[in-house]
Amino acid sequence: MRYVAAYLLAALGAKGKEPSASDVEKILSSVGIEVEADKVKKVVSELKGKDMEELIEEGSKKLASVPSGGAAPAAGAAPAGGDAPAEAKKEEKKEESEESDDDMGFGLFD
C-alpha cells in the first residue's frame, strides 16, 4: 500500500510525465521506509500508462463492497445463570471503590 501511495504522490508531482522507480524510492526513503526495489519496480510497471483518477475510482468501488464493521452482539440476551445480576452489582461496587482510590485527593484541573 505504501508503494502505491508513494507512486500516487510522485504522479501528482510529476507534472504530466510518468513517475520513475527512483521517484518512488526517494519519497519512501524520505520518511524512513526501507525500500524493496523489486516491489517498487512491480508497482511502477503495473501502473505505467494508467490514468490515476480511473484507478482511484475503481479502487473506491471495490472498497465500498468490503464489509468494514464487526458483528454486533445480540441485545437483550439473557445469561444462563440466575445469579448474574447480583454478581454485576458486586462488581460495580468494587469498581466504584477502585475509582475513588485513583483520585489521590486532587482533580485534573485543580
Side-chain angles (χ1 to χ4, degrees), residues 2-57:
R2 64 182 76 165
Y3 295 99
V4 174
Y7 183 88
L8 291 172
L9 283 172
L12 284 173
K15 298 178 184 164
K17 45 182 198 169
E18 293 285 325
S20 66
S22 65
D23 295 334
V24 175
E25 289 174 5
K26 194 181 298 183
I27 290 171
L28 290 171
S29 63
S30 72
V31 291
I33 295 174
E34 291 184 31
V35 180
E36 295 180 34
D38 59 327
K39 289 184 179 181
V40 172
K41 289 178 185 175
K42 180 168 176 73
V43 168
V44 170
S45 67
E46 291 287 327
L47 297 177
K48 192 171 192 169
K50 295 187 179 180
D51 183 27
M52 295 300 117
E53 290 179 13
E54 289 178 12
L55 287 174
I56 292 171
E57 188 176 321

Side-chain angles (χ1 to χ4, degrees), residues 54-65:
E54 289 178 12
L55 287 174
I56 292 171
E57 188 176 321
E58 288 176 23
S60 296
K61 288 177 185 175
K62 289 179 182 179
L63 285 175
S65 66

